[in-house]
Amino acid sequence: MEYVELARGGGVPAHVQIERWLLTSIASGEIAPGDRLPGERALASRLGVSRMTLRQALAALESRGVLVRTPGRAGGAFVAEPRVECDLTGLAGFTERMRRAHLTAAARVLRARTGAAPPEVAAALELAPSAPVHEIARVRSAGGAPVALESSFFPAPLLPGLLEEDLGGSLYELLERRYGLAPRQSTEHLDPVVATPEQAAELEVAPGTPLMRIERTARTAAGVPVEYARDLFRPDRVRLTVRTG
């Protein structure tokens, strides 16, 4: 790794120069995702700064998701995997959003069953209490890494035979192709949550890791509710974007 010579007295703080140097090294491929930076003592000495100044730069890059710092003897500062841009503007399923990001989406089905709708699901789908719904829970991956945990409910009377279909691809495309009930509009709520042990295991993170939950009710162009979902995203792997205007 080629080290930068910091400019002294030029008006740009040393920690900012270190941030820019590391960002440039990552962008050029000189430092790759997963690479471990040299230890703080060695790196600070080589750059000619105090460890406090170095830590200020590393903390800033960590807050931006560029670095991941882990404690312990085997820990250190590592270059983070780049986050996937996930555009929430308009209504598109995970598969389509990953396609826009030029990534291949995959799905691993955890549950696919029909049962009585819980109260909040029945209310969202405008069904009678305990009406039958299809539940499909999947782990969604992009580029081979798990990035989201989906839990979706669909009105069973409108979608007979849904669970007999291939559930490994886009469910929205399936709704349109087989049933003519393509989701065209939605109401979504975003909330920060922390991963339970079960969720953490599926997403390959530590229990208590911050996640972003998207609660969604999707409707057809005619206003018929066809999906109620609670999706959990890893914010270290996914950057959610909403465009206006």
Side-chain angles (χ1 to χ4, degrees):
M1 182 167 65
E2 184 176 348
Y3 289 86
V4 65
E5 292 296 333
L6 302 180
R8 308 294 179 177
V12 180
H15 70 89
V16 174
Q17 295 183 57
I18 295 171
E19 291 174 44
R20 293 174 179 174
W21 163 60
L22 287 171
L23 287 171
T24 299
S25 298
I26 294 170
S28 68
E30 186 179 357
I31 310 175
D35 283 356
R36 183 181 185 276
L37 300 184
E40 283 187 4
R41 186 184 303 276
L43 186 53
S45 175
R46 180 61 184 82
L47 294 172
V49 299
S50 68
R51 293 178 69 179
M52 181 177 296
T53 296
L54 176 63
R55 286 172 179 169
Q56 191 175 0
L58 298 181
L61 293 176
E62 182 181 27
S63 69
R64 295 167 60 181
V66 177
L67 298 179
V68 176
R69 293 195 292 174
T70 58
R73 182 172 299 178
F78 297 84
V79 179
E81 294 289 338
R83 290 193 294 175
V84 178
E85 290 286 343
C86 190
D87 192 348
L88 300 181
T89 307
L91 182 59
F94 183 89
T95 301
E96 176 58 26
R97 287 168 176 161
M98 293 304 102
R99 187 180 297 132
R100 294 174 184 173
H102 306 291
L103 292 170
T104 300
R108 177 167 58 88
V109 178
L110 301 176
R111 293 187 304 279
R113 62 193 181 190
T114 303
E120 69 277 10
V121 174
L125 294 177
E126 300 178 4
L127 300 173
S130 300
V133 292
H134 300 310
E135 179 190 4
I136 302 174
R138 306 186 298 175
V139 177
R140 303 309 307 270
S141 300
V147 297
L149 185 58
E150 296 179 341
S151 181
S152 297
F153 297 85
F154 304 90
L158 289 180
L159 306 169
L162 176 64
L163 302 188
E164 299 169 8
E165 297 286 334
D166 179 7
L167 304 178
S170 170
L171 298 181
Y172 280 11
E173 291 179 3
L174 176 58
L175 293 182
E176 181 173 18
R177 172 173 48 82
R178 175 167 176 180
Y179 303 98
L181 294 172
R184 296 301 185 198
Q185 52 186 300
S186 69
T187 301
E188 297 183 322
H189 301 279
L190 281 67
D191 295 288
V193 298
V194 296
T196 66
E198 294 78 11
Q199 295 163 350
E202 299 296 350
L203 291 174
E204 299 180 7
V205 298
T209 295
L211 303 174
M212 181 59 70
R213 180 178 66 187
I214 299 180
E215 182 180 1
R216 176 180 61 258
T217 301
R219 300 172 180 270
T220 66
V224 178
V226 290
E227 181 203 31
Y228 171 73
R230 292 187 293 259
D231 299 340
L232 296 173
F233 285 87
R234 288 179 51 176
D236 65 320
R237 298 304 310 276
V238 176
R239 184 182 184 188
L240 302 175
T241 303
V242 178
R243 305 179 191 277
T244 61

